[in-house]
Amino acid sequence: MNSKKIYKQTRKIEDVIIIGRGTVGGAKESQGPLASTLDRTFQDSYYNEKTWEKCESKMQKEAINLAISESGISQQEIDLCLTGDLLNQCIGSSYCIRDLKIPYYGQYGACSTIAQSLSIGSMLVDGGYSDYTVCGTSSHFCTAERQFRTPLEYGGQRTPTAQWTVTGSGMLVICKSDNFNFQNRVAPKINAVTTGKIIDMGIKDITNMGAAMAPAAADTLITHFNETQTTPADFDMILTGDLGVFGKEIVMKLIKSAGFDLSRNYQDCGEMIYNIKEQDMHAGGSGCGCSALVFCGHIMNKLRSGELKKVLFLGTGALMSTISIHQGESIPSIAHAISVSG
Amino acid sequence: MNSKKIYKQTRKIEDVIIIGRGTVGGAKESQGPLASTLDRTFQDSYYNEKTWEKCESKMQKEAINLAISESGISQQEIDLCLTGDLLNQCIGSSYCIRDLKIPYYGQYGACSTIAQSLSIGSMLVDGGYSDYTVCGTSSHFCTAERQFRTPLEYGGQRTPTAQWTVTGSGMLVICKSDNFNFQNRVAPKINAVTTGKIIDMGIKDITNMGAAMAPAAADTLITHFNETQTTPADFDMILTGDLGVFGKEIVMKLIKSAGFDLSRNYQDCGEMIYNIKEQDMHAGGSGCGCSALVFCGHIMNKLRSGELKKVLFLGTGALMSTISIHQGESIPSIAHAISVSG
């Protein structure tokens, strides 16, 4: 009855391409191995703004403008924006979009937001409800740390499983192929999206988010393989958002017990974005900006160059708040998958 | 090139109907004029849960189950859930959905969430990406008050412009008409959705949210009229979400100066949900639950009975946080419109 659906969680995307991307990163990101893939970086935590929150909105705005500019379209042609962030009430996004006058639906998927916004955006563009959609997100180490953990001035010790919230924003512009003037440019194509379910295995340790999110990533991966009748071998790379060193290990074990082998081509953005040992990053990077910077920068480059032909990208998010943790709750997590080809 | 778009902000919906609704309200709501339109009410602020936040998740879960049950489908047939709420990191929704195992994208539109989720849901169902989508939201007076304002124990005085956050959850199930067994039942139809832009006229008074949101409501209303070449006379009712007494007046003035007359058929859910004077509600109701309860209960009843044939419903949301207000920012607002017929 419904041709766009592939069983329950996976939707087929007929014709959506990524025509522009913008990435803005902070100091630690500019010292990491993917620094050269970032369009713009800054070296303090404020970026000439008065507060960290305003800095986060500024990163988003610059990333959007960079993505629009690279797309070769005008801002007036953007008819939909789907963004969100980690801040209470998603203020990183709303104070950014306020100045841009673009029709807007705020998204909340925690660190899965780049995948969530790109998934919904792909369906809306594919279905003919938007010509040009901006999808993306941001995070900022300082805004996240003081909101979710302790005041920065406190200088709390970090556990070995702790991850470092990435300071950065990644944005994408998508459209149908008819709406893009290729002119020798390559535009990666969205093939399918798999919507995640919330999985909660009872983890309550907010310094071990990778472990909390890993079962959600495994669930969505297995669902994607089963619903599309693919295996890890069908992809050049399988990429999770921000599980970090320990979360990644858990995913590999869970996937193996389901009969799939991730040993050849599985990577995690949280491991890739920093020189973990040299930069003392414990279990790696995290935050909405982690997968957004890696996907919009490094992965987009490799899809465009042809080095990667087919990537299965999973945004991973932990949906707790400080209130829910204080009330003794565990961490509900989610992962959304997007199959992209170069 | 793009048949589903009507100019820039409005999208045409070909075939989406609302087949079920569920509403759960608190004590104040059960004493208001629309009490009889609520499926279920409870009289304390906890509803047998240990915390107000868990109570909010419980309301959502009951409203979803009521909506699914009324639709005559099984929970397993729901393939997408789009919900959100006012709480930090939208925990009202994520801890609800955790237990339901439904593919989920979290939405953040503040008090516009019912309209935002119904808009996105309508496009995704219409485009063939979901067979049965649940859309909805919740708010709770106690969770909102302590998060956004002062501890309840403090007993702060309320200003005349202050509104009362509704305790309640409203949920809808939508699908294509082919997917519904009508059996003499009436299922209201979504005709078009207009995505709002963020408007901020510089209001910083968080006890006067109606004034902050009114310009966004007016902007989306005028956009909808212009893009669809309609006027207020084409609707039996034009309904805003939670502007309250003062916000409603501002909308009427703004719309009048744009050449449209709202004097005949304009109402606001914030005025309708309480007996404002008798219940001492100052400027009226507010919160995600306000428009959700009024639309899913009262308006759905009248659309089903034929008393209302065409309604233009606007969800209205204020996108600030306590952090942004403490940093001296004004209140960015948004409104999303949905044209529904009985």
Side-chain angles (χ1 to χ4, degrees):
Chain A
M1 183 185 310
N2 202 324
S3 63
K4 307 290 175 59
K5 262 183 64 186
I6 304 170
Y7 201 60
K8 188 162 174 179
Q9 287 174 246
T10 305
R11 282 89 181 168
K12 189 176 175 187
I13 304 298
E14 297 281 353
D15 178 17
V16 173
I17 54 175
I18 306 174
I19 61 167
R21 63 91 192 275
T23 50
V24 177
K28 300 268 187 207
E29 294 68 32
S30 75
Q31 294 150 14
L34 305 183
S36 67
T37 69
L38 304 179
D39 293 323
R40 202 170 286 175
T41 57
F42 58 101
Q43 293 303 318
D44 68 349
S45 59
Y46 289 99
Y47 206 11
N48 298 322
E49 293 291 327
K50 280 188 178 170
T51 70
W52 293 322
E53 287 73 16
K54 288 181 204 284
C55 170
E56 188 164 344
S57 292
K58 182 179 178 175
M59 288 193 294
Q60 281 205 15
K61 204 184 300 179
E62 292 207 348
I64 289 177
N65 287 332
L66 287 161
I68 292 174
S69 165
E70 202 196 35
S71 305
I73 60 170
S74 71
Q75 191 187 299
Q76 286 68 41
E77 291 178 273
I78 301 290
D79 53 30
L80 186 61
C81 182
L82 302 167
T83 58
D85 54 82
L86 287 170
L87 298 181
N88 297 344
Q89 288 71 57
C90 299
I91 54 167
S93 303
S94 42
Y95 284 91
C96 162
I97 303 300
R98 175 179 68 174
D99 300 335
L100 297 178
K101 311 278 177 237
I102 302 172
Y104 172 67
Y105 291 125
Q107 300 302 306
Y108 186 72
C111 306
S112 76
T113 301
I114 183 75
Q116 170 171 325
S117 60
L118 186 55
S119 297
I120 297 179
S122 295
M123 292 187 270
L124 296 183
V125 167
D126 196 43
Y129 303 95
S130 164
D131 289 333
Y132 298 96
T133 295
V134 167
C135 311
T137 186
S138 66
S139 57
H140 189 304
F141 174 76
C142 302
T143 64
E145 203 66 11
R146 75 166 161 192
Q147 179 182 281
F148 286 110
R149 296 175 189 97
T150 54
L152 282 167
E153 297 80 355
Y154 176 67
Q157 281 287 323
R158 303 171 72 78
T159 67
T161 54
Q163 294 172 249
W164 186 276
T165 304
V166 165
T167 299
S169 172
M171 294 284 172
L172 299 167
V173 178
I174 57 174
C175 70
K176 291 196 176 197
S177 47
D178 276 356
N179 281 352
F180 184 55
N181 183 354
F182 282 89
Q183 291 180 314
N184 300 322
R185 291 183 287 181
V186 177
K189 188 177 176 318
I190 312 285
N191 302 307
V193 302
T194 301
T195 314
K197 294 181 293 194
I198 296 179
I199 308 287
D200 186 336
M201 299 299 280
I203 305 273
K204 293 185 177 188
D205 178 2
I206 56 161
T207 67
N208 193 1
M209 306 288 275
M213 294 190 286
D219 187 82
T220 300
L221 265 178
I222 293 164
T223 301
H224 184 87
F225 294 141
N226 288 338
E227 294 191 352
T228 60
Q229 301 190 338
T230 54
T231 70
D234 291 308
F235 299 92
D236 296 329
M237 184 189 279
I238 291 155
L239 181 71
T240 49
D242 61 340
L243 301 180
V245 179
F246 301 106
K248 186 182 166 194
E249 273 178 30
I250 299 171
V251 166
M252 293 186 74
K253 281 185 193 160
L254 291 171
I255 294 288
K256 194 172 183 183
S257 69
F260 298 105
D261 175 21
L262 284 186
S263 61
R264 188 185 61 85
N265 56 355
Y266 169 42
Q267 295 202 49
D268 181 72
C269 302
E271 269 195 341
M272 297 162 75
I273 194 161
Y274 298 124
N275 292 308
I276 291 183
K277 283 196 178 159
E278 295 80 345
Q279 292 187 278
D280 191 25
M281 284 305 182
H282 297 224
S286 68
C288 298
C290 180
S291 54
L293 287 191
V294 175
F295 183 80
C296 302
H298 180 66
I299 301 299
M300 276 290 289
N301 286 357
K302 288 196 181 295
L303 286 166
R304 282 173 169 172
S305 73
E307 201 176 326
L308 287 173
K309 289 199 174 51
K310 207 165 173 202
V311 173
L312 184 59
F313 167 58
L314 272 88
T316 42
L319 304 172
M320 82 297 166
S321 78
T322 53
I323 290 269
S324 67
I325 295 299
H326 290 157
Q327 291 180 355
E329 270 290 4
S330 50
I331 302 170
S333 299
I334 200 158
H336 304 295
I338 300 178
S339 163
V340 197
S341 54
Chain B
M1 182 184 313
N2 202 322
S3 64
K4 307 291 175 59
K5 262 184 64 187
I6 305 169
Y7 201 60
K8 188 161 174 179
Q9 287 173 248
T10 304
R11 281 89 181 169
K12 189 177 175 186
I13 305 298
E14 297 281 351
D15 178 18
V16 173
I17 54 175
I18 307 173
I19 62 168
R21 63 90 192 274
T23 51
V24 176
K28 300 270 186 203
E29 295 66 34
S30 76
Q31 293 150 15
L34 306 183
S36 68
T37 69
L38 304 180
D39 293 325
R40 201 169 289 173
T41 57
F42 58 100
Q43 292 303 314
D44 67 348
S45 58
Y46 289 99
Y47 205 11
N48 299 322
E49 293 292 328
K50 280 190 177 169
T51 70
W52 293 322
E53 287 74 16
K54 289 181 202 284
C55 169
E56 189 163 343
S57 292
K58 181 177 180 176
M59 288 194 294
Q60 281 204 16
K61 203 184 300 180
E62 292 207 346
I64 288 176
N65 287 333
L66 286 161
I68 291 174
S69 164
E70 202 196 37
S71 304
I73 60 171
S74 72
Q75 191 187 298
Q76 286 67 40
E77 291 179 273
I78 301 289
D79 54 30
L80 186 61
C81 180
L82 302 166
T83 58
D85 55 81
L86 288 170
L87 297 182
N88 297 344
Q89 289 70 58
C90 299
I91 54 168
S93 302
S94 42
Y95 284 91
C96 161
I97 302 302
R98 175 179 67 174
D99 300 334
L100 297 179
K101 311 273 176 242
I102 302 173
Y104 172 66
Y105 292 125
Q107 301 301 306
Y108 186 71
C111 307
S112 76
T113 301
I114 182 76
Q116 170 172 324
S117 59
L118 186 54
S119 296
I120 296 179
S122 295
M123 292 186 272
L124 295 183
V125 167
D126 197 41
Y129 303 94
S130 164
D131 288 333
Y132 297 97
T133 296
V134 166
C135 310
T137 186
S138 67
S139 57
H140 189 304
F141 175 76
C142 301
T143 65
E145 202 68 12
R146 75 166 161 194
Q147 179 182 279
F148 287 111
R149 295 173 192 96
T150 54
L152 281 167
E153 296 81 355
Y154 177 68
Q157 281 286 322
R158 302 171 71 78
T159 66
T161 55
Q163 294 171 247
W164 188 275
T165 303
V166 165
T167 299
S169 173
M171 295 284 173
L172 299 167
V173 177
I174 57 175
C175 69
K176 290 196 176 198
S177 46
D178 276 357
N179 281 352
F180 184 56
N181 183 353
F182 282 88
Q183 291 180 313
N184 298 324
R185 291 183 288 180
V186 177
K189 189 177 176 317
I190 311 286
N191 302 306
V193 302
T194 300
T195 315
K197 292 180 296 195
I198 295 180
I199 308 285
D200 185 337
M201 299 298 281
I203 304 272
K204 294 185 176 187
D205 179 2
I206 55 160
T207 66
N208 194 359
M209 306 285 277
M213 294 190 286
D219 187 82
T220 300
L221 265 179
I222 294 165
T223 300
H224 184 88
F225 293 143
N226 289 338
E227 294 191 350
T228 60
Q229 301 191 337
T230 55
T231 70
D234 291 308
F235 298 92
D236 296 332
M237 184 190 279
I238 291 155
L239 181 71
T240 49
D242 60 342
L243 303 179
V245 178
F246 300 106
K248 185 183 168 194
E249 272 179 31
I250 299 170
V251 166
M252 294 188 73
K253 280 184 194 162
L254 290 171
I255 294 288
K256 195 172 182 183
S257 68
F260 297 105
D261 175 21
L262 285 185
S263 61
R264 189 185 60 85
N265 55 354
Y266 169 41
Q267 294 202 50
D268 180 72
C269 301
E271 269 195 342
M272 298 162 75
I273 194 161
Y274 297 124
N275 293 307
I276 291 182
K277 281 194 179 159
E278 294 80 345
Q279 291 186 275
D280 191 25
M281 286 302 182
H282 298 222
S286 69
C288 298
C290 180
S291 53
L293 286 191
V294 174
F295 183 80
C296 302
H298 180 65
I299 301 298
M300 276 290 288
N301 285 357
K302 287 194 182 295
L303 285 165
R304 283 172 166 172
S305 72
E307 201 178 324
L308 287 173
K309 290 201 172 53
K310 204 161 175 205
V311 173
L312 184 58
F313 167 57
L314 271 87
T316 44
L319 304 173
M320 83 294 166
S321 78
T322 52
I323 289 268
S324 67
I325 295 299
H326 290 156
Q327 292 181 353
E329 270 291 3
S330 50
I331 302 170
S333 298
I334 201 158
H336 303 296
I338 300 177
S339 164
V340 197
S341 54

